[in-house]
Amino acid sequence: NEWMFLFSLVCSGEIFELKAELNSDKKEKKKEAVKKVIASMTVGKDVSALFPDVVNCMQTDNLELKKLVYLYLMNYAKSQPDMAIMAVNTFVKDCEDPNPLIRALAVRTMGCIRVDKITEYLCEPLRKCLKDEDPYVRKTAAVCVAKLHDINAQLVEDQGFLDTLKDLISDSNPMVVANAVAALSEIAESHPNSNLLDLNPQTINKLLTALNECTEWGQIFILDCLANYTPRDDRESQSICERVTPRLSHANSAVVLSAVKVLMKFMEMLPKDLDYYGTLLKKLAPPLVTLLSAEPELQYVALRNINLIVQRRPEIMKHEMKVFFVKYNDPIYVKLEKLDIMIRLASQANIAQVLAELKEYATEVDVDFVRKAVRAIGRCAIKVEQSAERCVSTLLDLIQTKVNYVVQEAIVVIKDIFRKYPNKYESVIATLCENLDSLDEPEARAAMIWIVGEYAERIDNADELLESFLEGFHDESTQVQLQLLTAIVKLFLKKPTETQELVQQVLSLATQDSDNPDLRDRGYIYWRLLSTDPVAAKEVVLAEKPLISEETDLIEPTLLEELICHIGTLASVYHKPPSAFVEGSRGVQHKRLPCSAGSVDSPETSSTAGVSDAPPAVIPSQGDLLGDLLNLDLTPTTTGPPPPAVSTGMQLGAMDLLGGGLDSLCDTLVCDLQIGAGFGAAPAAMPASFGAPGSGGLDDLFDLGSGVGMPMGAYSPPKSVWLQAMKAKGLEISGTFARRAGVIQMEMTLTNKAMSVMTDFAIQFNRNSFGLSPAGPLQVLTPLSPNQSIEVALPLNTSGPVMKMDPLNNLQVAVKNNIDVFYFSCQYPISMLFVEDGKMERQIFLATWKDIPNENESQFQIKDCHLNAVSNKLQGSNIFTIAKRTVDGQDMLYLSVKLTNGIWVLAELRIQAGNPNYTPCICCYSAVIKNITPSF
Amino acid sequence: MSASAIFVLDLKGKVLICRNYKGDVDMAEIDHFIPLLMQQEEEGMICPVITRGTVHFMWIKHSNLYLVATTNKNSNASLVYSFLYKLVEVFTEYFKELEEESIQDNFVVVYELLDELMDFGFPQTTDSKILQEYITQEGTKLEVTKTKVPTTVTNAVSWRSEGIKYKKNEVFIDVIESINVLVNANGSVMSSDIVGSIKLKTMLSGMPELRLGLNDRVLFSLTGRDKGKTVMMEDVKFHQCVRLSRFDSDRTISFIPPDGESELMSYRINTHVKPLIWIESVIEKFSHSRVEIMVKAKGQFKKQSVANNVEIRVPVPSDADSPKFKTSTGSAKYVPEKDLVLWTIKSFPGGKEFLMRAHFGLPSVEKDELEGKPPITVKFEIPYFTVSGIQVRYMKIIEKSGYQALPWVRYITQSGDYQLRTNA
C-alpha cells in the first residue's frame, strides 16, 4: 500500500530519533524517550517498530520507567509474539524482587501478555507469587490465574492453580479472599460445568466473614458469588440473610443491589409465616428507595431492577408510589422507567394521586414520555375499575388539547377501555369522531376504525366515516386496511340495507386490487361467509370478544425468576436472559430461584407450590417460546423404550356456569385423556415435532372442520349395552358415540330379541347439559326381523334445549317402536363435544390464561404418556397443542379445547423427561372460562 | 464480571486514553460509540447502556469527557457505573479538575492509576488518599525502603494509614440536611423528604476509634430510653469505615475514620416537612402580547432563623423579551440563556413574606414548537438548624495514646431538589 509506505517514511524520522534516545546511556533521556513512545501510542500512532529497543529498557531500577515499559509490552506483545519472549526473563526476575510492588507489577502485567508461547514460562513465577508473604502480591496473583485461564485453561488446570486459588478463599487477608472469589467466579462463568465453585457451608462462612472486612468492590464479588449458592434449608437461608442485610446500609449502590439479589433469592426459601420473612421484606424497601437518589445511570439500573422486584414481590414497594413521581429534570430514561413502575404500583388506594401525576406528565413536551403517560392513563382505567370513569374523562380532556400525538395515543387506549368495559363509555364516541381527520398514525387510525365498526349502530354516519377512509385505501398501512375491511363488514351486518354498496367496494378493494395475501384472504373469507350464510357471518364477525387482561407486559415467571438471580447485571437492565445477548452461553443452565420452604426435596409439591404462590400465571410470549424451543434438548423424549407406569397429575377447575356439574365433567375428561394417552404411548421413537402446529391467523379460520393433518381420528369408546332386551320387550340397544368429520354421531346396534317384527322406530332425547339432539330421524328403513341386528348412525347437533344433568354428560333417551316407548340413559364421552376449531390463537391463549382466576385451576394425573404421541393423539380428539416448551427437563404442552357451547378449556400438560427411566409425569392446570370467541 | 476495557473520550469521540483489561472486546469497537450515542440523542431516547452486536457500552459523562466501559458479558452494571463515578472521583482528587486537558497533561499517572484501580475488570484499590501514598505525580525513585505497598491497601482498614500525626487533635462534624420537595400546581405537596449527610473533617493522630451518638429513634427504643426528641431515619448509608454489622445489631455507629474530609453517613427521612420556603405564583400568559408573573415567597420556619442566599428561579417563555421587575426585597434579573427570572434574596428571615412581579413582552408571531413546563426551583441555606431535629449527642474518641480530642459540630439545612410546578 503506497500510502502506508509514504506515511511510514514520514514517520520513520521520528521513530529513528526515538530509537536513538531509547538506547541512550542517560537514564533520564531513556525515560523521557519511553514516555514519548507511550505518548505516541496513546494518540494512536503505531510504535511497534521500537519493540526491541523498549524491551531493552525493561531492566531498570526506576519504577515509573518500568511501569511504562510494561504498559508498552501489554499493548504490543501480541503483535510481536517472537520478541515478547525477550521479556520473559525480566518477568521471572521481577517476580523475585524484594519490593512487593515490583513483584505484583510483574505478575499483573505477565497475565496481560496474551501470547500463548510465553505463558508456560510464567507458571513458576505465578506459583511463587500465589504463596507470597505479601497479601498485595497474593491478591494480584489470584487475578493472574483467571487471566492465564482465559489464555490457556488446560495449562492452568494441569498446573493445579485452580486448587491454589480455592485455597486462597481461606486466606487470612480479606482482599486476597475477595480477589480469589472474583477470579473463581469469572472462571466458573466461562466454564459452567467446571464445578469450581462448589460452595459448602464452610466456604460460605468464610465468605461471610470476609464480607465484613473487604473493600466495597470485594463485597460485591463476594455477594455475587453468594448469590450462586443454594442453602440446604430455610434455617441456613435465614442465617445468611441475617449476615447479608447489614450491607443494605453501604454507601455504594452496587453493594446494595448485590445484597438485594442475595436476599431476594434466599428469601424464596423462607416460610412466609416466619416473622423474619416479614422483617426482611420491610428492610428491603428503604434501601431500594434510596438508590433513586444516586447518579442517574445508577438510578436507571435500580429502576430496571425495581421493576423486576415489583413483579416478583409486589408487597415490598406497594407503599412507595410517591418516590417514583417524575421530576422535571430527570433524564428521559429515568422518566420512562419511573412511569412503568408507577403503572405497576397503581391500585385503588393511590389511583387519585397517580392520575393527577399522569395528567401533569401528559402535558409535557417530550413526545415519548407524553405518549407513555397517556397510555398509562388507559392502563390505570383497565387496572383499577373504580378509576375507569375518571381516566376516561382525563383522556377526553387531553383530547381537547388537540395536541396531535396526544389525541392519537388517547384514542388507542380508549379502544382498550371499550374492550374492557363494554357498553359503558360509548357516550364519548362522538368526541372521538370529531378528531377523525387529525389521525395520521396507523395505530390510531386502526383504533378509531375499530371503534366506528364496533359501534356502527350507534353512530349515525358510520357509513360516511368509513367511506371517507376508503378513498385512500391502498395508501393505508396493512393494519388500517384489515381493520377497515372488518369494520365495514360489521357495519354491513348491522345495517345491511344502506351499506351494500360500501361492503362490495371494500371487498373488491381487498380481494381484487390488493396484493397483500393477508388482506386478500380475509376479504375472501368475509365474502364467502356473507354470500353463503349471513347468519353464520354474523355469528363470526359480531361474536362477543374476549376481555382484555389487566396486567400487560408482565415478564413470564420463569424468566422473571432467572432475572431476579441476575439483579444488578446487564440481564436485569435489558430484562433478557444472559443467553440472549452473551455469546457462547447458549448451553449454560438458566438460573432459577430456590424452591420455597418445605418442598425442597419433593419436586411434585414444589411445582404445585410454585404455581399457587406465583403471581398471576403468564404464558410466555411467542418470542420466548421460540427461544426455548431452539434450546430444546431432544434426547430425553425422542428415544428409548416406552415409558413405564407413571404418576401424573391434572385437575380441572370450577366452572361457574355449570356449578357442581364440574366434577363429573372433570372425571369424564380425565377418563378420556387417560385412554387417549394410553393409545398414544405405543410409538416410542417419533421425530420430535417442534413448535406449535402452524399458527397463522388464517389457519384458525379455515381449519373449521377440516381435520387436516389429524394423525388419528377422535377416540371413540367401544359400544356398550344401553338398553337390555328384557327391559324393553325384546329390543336391545348397544351403542357408542363418535365424532366423525366434525359431526357428533350416536352409533347404535339395534337387535330384535323378540319374536315379532319391529317397525316404526323413532328417537327423542331429554333436555341435557349440552343441548344434544338428533339432527334427523332415526333411519331404520326396513322392518327389523326377530334375531336380526341393524347398525344405525344418528347424527346429532347441539342446538337442543339445555338442562344441567348429573352427571354432566348424562343423556336420557327415549326410543319408540311399534311395540312401546322405552327409556334409557347413557353417558357420552365429553371429548365428543370438542370442536375442531378449538385451537386458540397463541396471543389469546396467553391473555386468557392469565385471566383465569386461581380457583378455576386444578390438576390431576394421567398415566403412561409420551410427549409427541400425546400431542398427536390429543389433536385427534380436538385437544390442540398451542405451544410446547421445555423447562427444567419437563416438557410442557399448552392445550386448548373448545366445547360445542363455546366454553374453552385451557390446560397445561407437564411431562417429566430427562429421567433415564422415562418416567413421564404429567400435571395439568386447566381452567374453564366462558364466552371466548375469535378476536374479531 | 465487569468491564473489558475502559475509555476516556472527548466530546467528539476521540480516545484520549484507554486501558484494555481483558482483551475480549475489540478495542476498535469504541469508534461506534459516539455515532450510536448521537443517533439516540437525535431520537430523544438516550440510554446509559448502548448495545452494538455483542458489545455493550456503559457510559457516563463528566464535563467535556465521556467515560465508557465496554463488555461482551453479562456484567454487573451497577458495579460498572459505580466504578466509573469512582474514576471521576479519583482523577478529580489527583488533578483537581477532570477534563480533556488534565488527562492529556497527566497521561503517565492516568495509566498508572488505571493499572492500579482495576485488574482484569475487577476494581481494586480506589481510595485516592491511599493511592496517593504510592502513586505520585513526581516520578518515584525506586528505593526499596521508601516505596513499599502501603499495608493499608490490603488491610481490613484500607482507608487509613498508620502513623498519622497532628499537634492538635480535632474532628469537625457537619450535619447537612437537604430538603427535597415536589409541589403540584394546585399547591399540594406531592412528595417531600429530607436527605441528611454527616461529613467529617478528621484531624486525629494514630488509629482512633470513634463512636457517634445521634438521637436515633430506633436506638432509643432499643435501649428503652425515652427522653426528648428523636428522629426516625428511614434509611441509612455509611462510609465503608463504619462497622455495618454492629450498626445492624445495636445501632452503634463505630468506626476508624479516614483522615481528612469524608462523608461518614447519609440518611433519608420520609416525614412530611412543611416546605421551608413556600412559593405562590401566578403566571398569566397573554398570547402575542405579554406575560405577567407574580411570585410570593414565604419563610415557613422559626423567626429566629434566617435563610441565606435564597435564589428563586421562575421560568419564562423562551421568546419573552423586554423584562420589567418589581421586588419587595432582593433583586431580580432575567437570565435569557436559561429562560428564567432569577430572584435573589441575601437574607430571608423566618415568618417573612416577600413579593416579586415581572412583566415580559411576547412577540406577535407565536413559535410552532411546544414548550415544556419547567417548575419554579428554590435554593437556600439555613444555618444552625436541622429541619428533622437530628442532633449529635456525642462523639467519643479513643486512641491508645490517650490524647484528648475535641469534636466540633455544625448544623445546616439547605434546599435539595426543590421544585414547585406552575400553571403556566
Side-chain angles (χ1 to χ4, degrees), chain A residues 245-253 256 260 282-294 320 323, chain B residues 193-197 214 216 218 231-238 244 247-248 251 265-271 390:
Chain A
T245 33
R247 297 301 121 197
L248 295 175
S249 303
H250 201 288
N252 186 324
S253 301
V256 174
V260 169
K282 280 198 206 102
K283 280 190 175 173
L284 279 170
L288 287 171
V289 171
T290 304
L291 289 176
L292 301 184
S293 14
E320 306 290 347
V323 302
Chain B
D193 61 8
I194 303 167
V195 176
S197 163
L214 299 172
D216 168 17
V218 181
V231 170
M232 181 68 204
M233 293 182 286
E234 178 79 9
D235 190 33
V236 193
K237 293 279 176 279
F238 289 108
L244 296 182
F247 178 77
D248 195 59
R251 301 287 281 195
M265 63 182 281
S266 65
Y267 55 89
R268 191 165 49 77
I269 296 174
N270 251 354
T271 46
I390 202 161

Side-chain angles (χ1 to χ4, degrees), chain A residues 839-879:
Chain A
K839 192 161 101 196
M840 198 178 266
E841 268 192 46
R842 277 188 191 203
Q843 299 303 331
I844 301 175
F845 187 93
L846 210 125
T848 315
W849 184 271
K850 286 190 283 189
D851 271 352
I852 298 170
N854 277 348
E855 60 269 24
N856 281 7
E857 277 184 13
S858 45
Q859 42 182 297
F860 60 88
Q861 308 209 322
I862 307 173
K863 292 186 171 122
D864 282 8
C865 279
H866 201 275
L867 177 64
N868 303 302
V870 167
S871 180
N872 290 338
K873 182 70 201 166
L874 289 180
Q875 183 160 354
S877 297
N878 293 335
I879 302 173

Side-chain angles (χ1 to χ4, degrees), chain A residues 28 31 35 38-39 41-42 61-64 67-68 71 74 99-102 105 108 112 114 135-136 139-140 143 146-147 150 173-175 179 182-183 185-186 189 212-217 220-221 224 242 245-252 254 256-258 283 286-287 289-290 295-298 300-301 322 325-329 332-333 336 353 357 360-361 363-365 368 566 568-571 573-574 578 581-583, chain B residues 1 15-17 19 21-23 43-51 54 56 58-61 71-79 81-83 85-86 107-108 111-112 115-116 119-120 122-126 134-135 137-144 147-149 153-156 158 180-182 184-185 189-191 195 234-240 244-245 247-248 268 270 272 370-375 417 419 421-422:
Chain A
E28 264 318 297
K31 198 172 105 185
K35 265 194 187 175
I38 299 291
M41 183 185 95
T42 305
D61 54 359
N62 184 307
L63 185 56
E64 196 187 3
K67 280 184 180 174
L68 291 173
L71 188 67
M74 279 188 275
N99 186 331
L101 266 182
I102 304 269
L105 181 65
R108 184 162 63 219
C112 297
R114 301 175 63 87
Y136 182 76
K139 72 122 187 164
T140 312
V143 176
K147 293 178 186 170
D150 201 33
N173 185 289
M175 187 115 177
N179 271 5
S185 304
E186 177 82 18
E189 203 178 283
N212 286 325
E213 297 176 339
C214 58
T215 65
E216 46 199 320
W217 314 111
I220 299 169
F221 307 151
D224 284 356
E242 282 167 353
T245 33
R247 297 301 121 197
L248 295 175
S249 303
H250 201 288
N252 186 324
V256 174
L257 264 183
S258 287
K283 280 190 175 173
V289 171
T290 304
E295 290 82 3
E297 293 82 4
L298 283 160
Y300 175 69
V301 176
K322 283 182 172 184
F325 287 170
V326 172
K327 300 257 175 75
Y328 184 76
N329 44 345
I332 180 69
Y333 52 82
L336 293 175
Q353 262 189 330
E357 278 295 294
E360 184 78 34
Y361 306 160
T363 58
E364 281 288 342
V365 280
D368 293 292
H566 289 293
T569 67
L570 280 178
V573 174
Y574 293 138
F581 61 90
V582 179
E583 261 183 357
Chain B
M1 179 159 250
V15 179
L16 297 176
I17 207 160
R19 173 68 201 255
Y21 288 106
K22 296 187 67 181
E43 292 162 1
M45 293 298 292
I46 56 160
C47 182
V49 203
I50 298 180
T51 313
T54 54
H56 312 276
M58 288 175 260
W59 62 278
I60 65 170
K61 193 179 171 189
T71 181
N72 58 6
K73 296 268 157 47
N74 180 30
S75 298
N76 187 327
S78 52
L79 177 144
Y81 292 117
S82 292
F83 179 75
Y85 276 105
K86 195 59 131 183
F107 74 94
V108 173
Y111 275 129
E112 277 189 56
D115 198 38
E116 196 62 42
D119 194 6
F120 203 53
F122 309 129
Q124 302 290 312
T125 310
T126 53
Y134 66 109
I135 296 179
Q137 276 158 297
E138 309 88 55
T140 320
K141 284 273 178 303
L142 190 72
E143 289 166 51
V144 179
T147 29
K148 277 219 161 163
V149 196
V153 174
T154 50
N155 258 352
S158 61
N180 298 323
V181 183
L182 180 62
N184 221 349
V189 178
M190 300 305 288
S191 66
V195 176
E234 178 79 9
D235 190 33
V236 193
K237 293 279 176 279
F238 289 108
H239 184 276
Q240 65 170 328
L244 296 182
S245 24
F247 178 77
D248 195 59
R268 191 165 49 77
N270 251 354
H272 205 95
L370 220 60
E371 277 188 23
K373 293 199 303 177
D417 202 350
Q419 303 189 355
R421 293 176 181 157
T422 66

Side-chain angles (χ1 to χ4, degrees), chain A residues 581-654:
Chain A
F581 61 90
V582 179
E583 261 183 357
S585 61
R586 275 224 164 265
V588 179
Q589 214 187 347
H590 294 251
K591 289 191 184 177
R592 288 293 301 268
L593 292 174
C595 296
S596 53
S599 57
V600 183
D601 27 15
S602 120
E604 244 171 82
T605 36
S606 71
S607 64
T608 333
V611 165
S612 56
D613 19 87
V618 192
I619 302 292
S621 70
Q622 204 158 340
D624 296 331
L625 279 174
L626 288 175
D628 277 329
L629 284 170
L630 292 172
N631 273 342
L632 197 73
D633 188 2
L634 289 181
T635 34
T637 47
T638 48
T639 52
V646 194
S647 67
T648 356
M650 179 159 170
Q651 293 169 26
L652 282 174

Side-chain angles (χ1 to χ4, degrees), chain A residues 780-824:
Chain A
V780 186
L781 298 175
T782 49
L784 194 60
S785 314
N787 283 326
Q788 196 192 342
S789 288
I790 186 169
E791 304 279 341
V792 200
L794 177 70
L796 306 182
N797 63 32
T798 53
S799 53
V802 176
M803 182 177 79
K804 202 186 100 188
M805 299 299 290
D806 189 21
L808 208 59
N809 56 338
N810 199 20
L811 181 66
Q812 296 176 336
V813 184
V815 172
K816 185 193 100 138
N817 63 11
N818 58 333
I819 299 165
D820 206 337
V821 181
F822 310 105
Y823 300 94
F824 64 87

Side-chain angles (χ1 to χ4, degrees), chain A residues 428-437 448 452 459 461 465:
Chain A
V428 309
I429 290 175
T431 320
L432 303 186
C433 288
E434 288 165 18
N435 292 284
L436 215 58
D437 299 331
M448 192 64 221
V452 174
I459 305 172
N461 60 342
L465 294 178

